[in-house]
Amino acid sequence: MIFGKMWRALRAQLNKLANFFWTVDPIAQMQYEYDSAVAQLKEGREGLEQYRALVERVGRQVANDKQHVASLEAKVKAYLTAGDRETASRFALELQRAKTQLAENEAQLQMHEQAYNNNVTKIKHATKKLADVRTKIAKYDAELKMSKAESEMAKLAQNFNFDVTTDFGQIEQVIQDRISLNRAKVRVAADLSGEGLETIAQEEAMEKALAESALREFEVQAGLRTPETAPAVAAEKQLGPGVEESAKNVQTEQG
């Protein structure tokens, strides 16, 4: 009795383990069952081929029996025509036996043909069923993978919470701080770019005055203007603090 309980408990645990492996990968289990069915179908087809060979042998035997019967019938007729009834009777008895054997072989041939056709129909049906199973396996495999992906995406979507208290939120805050710092550097550079504008303006005015002086000298040399109307402005060529005053004198003369 104790051993019986132990055996039942062991069987229960084995059944539990089998159920675990059965459900851990259902697609693989279906594929295994499909492969097993294909192997069985292959064996059944080989058996059917052997059975068909038997049918062919019986068919050849029936054909031979028919030829034998036809030959005996011809002999019986020939001996009757010749008036040899004794020989004709011998062949008539052999003809009777041959016809009996022919009938038996024809019955066997019909039975084997029917059995062969039935098995062919079954194998065709099983082949179609296997094709349907293969299609279902591919469909279920795709649906299972898609549903698993959707489940993972749903979990991932829940984790994409950019609140400041989460890691994602903190990382986002760091990125925004860096963007603000970079923008601040650009703004400071733009604000500081106004330094030295007065010096730049003075240099531009000096260049303008020097250009005007060079133009007046060219006009005098070319005879386009007399020296009286174009007094020398040597001070304009000086560099330093007098540049601004020279520029103002040139502007006054032009006015």
Side-chain angles (χ1 to χ4, degrees), residues 12 29 36-37 40 42 50 56-57 68 78 88 91 103 137 140 174-175 180 187 203 231 245 248 252:
Q29 188 64 36
S36 299
Q40 294 177 2
K42 183 179 179 180
Q50 296 175 359
E56 294 295 330
R57 287 197 298 270
H68 185 54
F91 280 110
I137 290 175
Y140 289 149
V174 170
I175 294 174
S180 299
R187 178 59 183 272
E203 291 179 356
E245 184 178 356
K248 290 181 180 180
T252 302

Side-chain angles (χ1 to χ4, degrees), residues 166-185:
T166 63
D167 293 337
F168 284 113
Q170 294 176 6
I171 294 174
E172 183 184 22
Q173 186 64 38
V174 170
I175 294 174
Q176 291 179 353
D177 291 342
R178 290 187 179 180
I179 293 174
S180 299
L181 179 60
N182 292 335
R183 289 178 178 175
K185 291 180 180 180

Side-chain angles (χ1 to χ4, degrees), residues 202 206 235-248:
Q202 291 177 357
M206 180 190 68
E236 293 175 356
K237 296 182 180 180
Q238 297 177 358
L239 297 176
V243 173
E244 184 178 359
E245 184 178 356
S246 298
K248 290 181 180 180

Side-chain angles (χ1 to χ4, degrees), residues 32-95:
Y32 172 76
E33 296 295 335
Y34 171 80
D35 294 340
S36 299
V38 169
Q40 294 177 2
L41 184 61
K42 183 179 179 180
E43 294 178 357
R45 181 171 180 174
E46 292 176 353
L48 186 62
E49 292 173 353
Q50 296 175 359
Y51 190 80
R52 183 61 201 179
L54 172 63
V55 175
E56 294 295 330
R57 287 197 298 270
V58 175
R60 288 195 301 270
Q61 183 63 42
V62 169
N64 293 332
D65 290 343
K66 288 182 178 180
Q67 291 179 358
H68 185 54
V69 167
S71 176
L72 291 175
E73 288 178 347
K75 289 180 179 181
V76 171
K77 291 179 181 179
Y79 283 108
L80 283 176
T81 303
D84 188 353
R85 293 185 61 82
E86 183 179 356
T87 305
S89 63
R90 255 193 343 264
F91 280 110
L93 180 59
E94 185 177 353
L95 175 62

Side-chain angles (χ1 to χ4, degrees), residues 148-160:
K148 184 177 180 180
E150 291 175 351
S151 176
E152 294 297 329
M153 288 300 297
K155 294 179 181 178
L156 193 60
Q158 293 178 355
N159 293 331
F160 279 163

Side-chain angles (χ1 to χ4, degrees), residues 167-222:
D167 293 337
F168 284 113
Q170 294 176 6
I171 294 174
E172 183 184 22
Q173 186 64 38
V174 170
I175 294 174
Q176 291 179 353
D177 291 342
R178 290 187 179 180
I179 293 174
S180 299
L181 179 60
N182 292 335
R183 289 178 178 175
K185 291 180 180 180
V186 174
R187 178 59 183 272
V188 170
D191 293 341
L192 293 178
S193 63
E195 292 183 354
L197 291 178
E198 183 179 356
T199 303
I200 295 173
Q202 291 177 357
E203 291 179 356
E204 290 178 352
M206 180 190 68
E207 290 291 333
K208 185 177 180 180
L210 292 175
E212 182 65 24
S213 175
L215 179 60
R216 290 179 182 276
E217 289 180 3
F218 175 79
E219 290 175 338
V220 171
Q221 293 176 1

